[in-house]
Amino acid sequence: MDNEFFMRSALELAKNGMGFVSPNPMVGAVIVRDGSVIGQGWHKRCGDLHAERNAFADCDSRGIDCSGADMYVTLEPCCHHGKQPPCTDAVIAHGIRRVFIGSADPNPLVAGKGVKILREHGIEVVENVLRDECDALNEIFLHYITSKRPFVTMKYAMTADGKIACFNGESKWITGEEARLNVQHERLRHTAIMTGIGTVLADDPLLTCRLENGRDPVRIICDTRLRIPMSSNIVKTAGDVRTVIVCCAPDADKKAALEAAGCEVLEVPELNGHTDLNALMGILGEEMHIDSILLEGGAQLNWSALSQGIVNKVHTYVAPKIFGGADAPSPVAGCGVSSPADAFMLETQNITRFGNDLLIESKVKKCSQV
């Protein structure tokens, strides 16, 4: 068994923390001696033990001595006091001989210092084992820790002819159950979900995570003129699910009523008649500590998000159906670009099949403001 095998085991463990460790990273750790795993752990919840200490606890609970063993960890061990003590201290105290690391930690409190401390204590450190896979697992953390802005994933489902609804607005359902289930996992993965008032008025959604033992994302509604009905599902459940209504120059009475119902009303600047999404991202990231957003908006909000340059990734679900119709909506509205050279450029990262549907995951390469 090679180093990549054990690091992949650590990666699988790390995924168990999805949706519960934000804004911390997902991390997994495996302790190995003579080619066999003797301990393992992952970061289970923000504020709880880190992956390395959980792996040591696994060994300690069974009376296993870790001295002389190797550790595989998906992210550079921390070396500072936060909600938990430094993991480097635990690695040193347990006599680990070698540490294999997947991703470097860009957090200024760590950023190579963890590796340096381990080496100063005579521990061999091997870096960048399956780094691309480890970085991909924590793309949200790596973006947020360096920018303090949410990582935004724009998601939409469309037919083979590029329609998100029929000409009369009917859209349930474009994709099948398997694809829709994957969307629920993405709602768990992201800290928040954002949509526009048009979607709320048309569909009256709940925007919750429907996975067993899941966690509901923070709901963010872009509602420039504060048109959301008090009778909507969003407002009626605001006491149970954190809900932020984003607006510009709100009516005082409507704002008070929404706040009384449990909503948070956030006023932001206006840009071209709509919410200034860049200003919003700054507030959400720096003041509200929201590290990621799943954008499930309509065509107009998608255009605003792209044209204001806030989108990091695009999830395109394609169903083998054709709706047709000159007036049937497509995923992105707005005025569009005036030349192919001005297109928002994407880099395809993964294509996954869910039943008969395809998910195309793309990184936004160029999302300059229009």
Side-chain angles (χ1 to χ4, degrees):
M1 295 183 183
D2 59 14
N3 294 335
E4 292 187 356
F5 173 85
F6 292 116
M7 188 60 76
R8 284 203 170 90
S9 297
L11 275 166
E12 289 304 310
L13 289 168
K15 293 174 185 177
N16 291 323
M18 185 178 71
F20 299 99
V21 299
S22 172
N24 289 346
M26 292 177 278
V27 183
V30 173
I31 303 172
V32 177
R33 178 184 285 122
D34 299 327
S36 298
V37 175
I38 60 174
Q40 60 185 24
W42 66 91
H43 186 32
K44 297 180 179 179
R45 192 173 293 271
C46 182
D48 288 354
L49 292 177
H50 290 180
E52 298 93 324
R53 289 184 177 272
N54 271 323
F56 289 131
D58 180 34
C59 289
D60 293 343
S61 68
R62 293 178 288 121
I64 296 176
D65 182 2
C66 297
S67 58
D70 296 334
M71 170 171 274
Y72 294 79
V73 60
T74 55
L75 184 71
E76 178 182 0
C78 67
C79 55
H80 65 287
H81 284 271
K83 293 182 179 179
Q84 293 290 332
C87 288
T88 49
D89 289 357
V91 173
I92 295 165
H94 281 82
I96 293 295
R97 180 173 65 100
R98 292 187 299 183
V99 176
F100 297 85
I101 295 171
S103 294
D105 190 341
N107 185 339
L109 296 173
V110 185
K113 299 182 183 71
V115 170
K116 183 174 182 289
I117 289 171
L118 294 177
R119 286 176 172 156
E120 287 175 347
H121 283 79
I123 298 172
E124 181 183 346
V125 179
V126 179
E127 300 178 79
N128 302 319
V129 180
L130 294 182
R131 176 163 185 170
D132 288 346
E133 293 179 37
C134 292
D135 284 355
L137 176 71
N138 280 310
E139 61 184 352
I140 288 173
F141 169 76
L142 297 175
H143 170 83
Y144 180 68
I145 199 68
T146 54
S147 70
K148 292 303 178 186
R149 291 170 65 88
F151 184 97
V152 178
T153 302
M154 187 174 82
K155 166 262 170 186
Y156 55 83
M158 69 180 190
T159 60
D161 60 335
K163 307 297 184 182
I164 61 172
C166 298
F167 72 92
N168 59 0
E170 287 293 324
S171 61
K172 293 184 179 179
W173 294 103
I174 291 176
T175 54
E177 291 185 8
E178 290 184 44
R180 299 201 300 273
L181 177 61
N182 190 66
V183 172
Q184 298 303 314
H185 286 281
E186 289 299 325
R187 289 184 178 185
L188 175 64
R189 180 171 175 252
H190 290 75
T191 299
I193 184 171
M194 186 165 78
T195 195
I197 185 59
T199 298
V200 174
L201 294 175
D203 300 336
D204 195 22
L206 276 170
L207 302 180
T208 53
C209 178
R210 293 187 285 277
L211 296 176
E212 186 177 357
N213 299 319
R215 170 201 50 81
D216 289 325
V218 178
R219 301 181 301 194
I220 301 170
I221 312 300
C222 292
D223 184 8
T224 305
R225 304 292 170 234
L226 218 56
R227 293 186 291 150
I228 190 167
M230 296 301 298
S231 60
S232 65
N233 283 323
I234 294 290
V235 174
K236 288 193 295 185
T237 58
D240 301 317
V241 182
R242 187 180 181 188
T243 302
V244 180
I245 311 296
V246 182
C247 62
C248 306
D251 173 81
D253 291 340
K254 183 65 173 289
K255 177 182 177 182
L258 289 169
E259 290 175 337
C263 299
E264 300 173 40
V265 179
L266 177 63
E267 186 175 357
V268 300
E270 187 173 326
L271 180 68
N272 299 325
H274 299 285
T275 301
D276 185 333
L277 295 178
N278 267 297
L280 174 60
M281 293 304 108
I283 295 169
L284 294 177
E286 295 183 27
E287 298 180 20
M288 300 176 71
H289 308 294
I290 290 175
D291 66 348
S292 55
I293 294 172
L294 182 62
L295 177 59
E296 291 195 40
Q300 184 57 52
L301 183 57
N302 287 345
W303 167 255
S304 295
L306 284 168
S307 62
Q308 292 187 48
I310 70 164
V311 181
N312 302 102
K313 195 170 186 177
V314 178
H315 281 189
T316 304
Y317 291 86
V318 183
K321 302 175 181 178
I322 293 177
F323 284 175
D327 296 327
S330 61
V332 182
C335 61
V337 299
S338 59
S339 165
D342 296 327
F344 302 102
M345 300 303 296
L346 307 179
E347 177 185 332
T348 301
Q349 296 178 307
N350 292 296
I351 299 177
T352 308
R353 184 166 181 166
F354 294 98
N356 290 323
D357 305 315
L358 296 179
L359 166 60
I360 304 172
E361 299 179 62
S362 305
K363 175 184 177 182
V364 178
K365 292 179 63 177
K366 186 184 81 172
C367 196
S368 56
Q369 295 185 16
V370 174

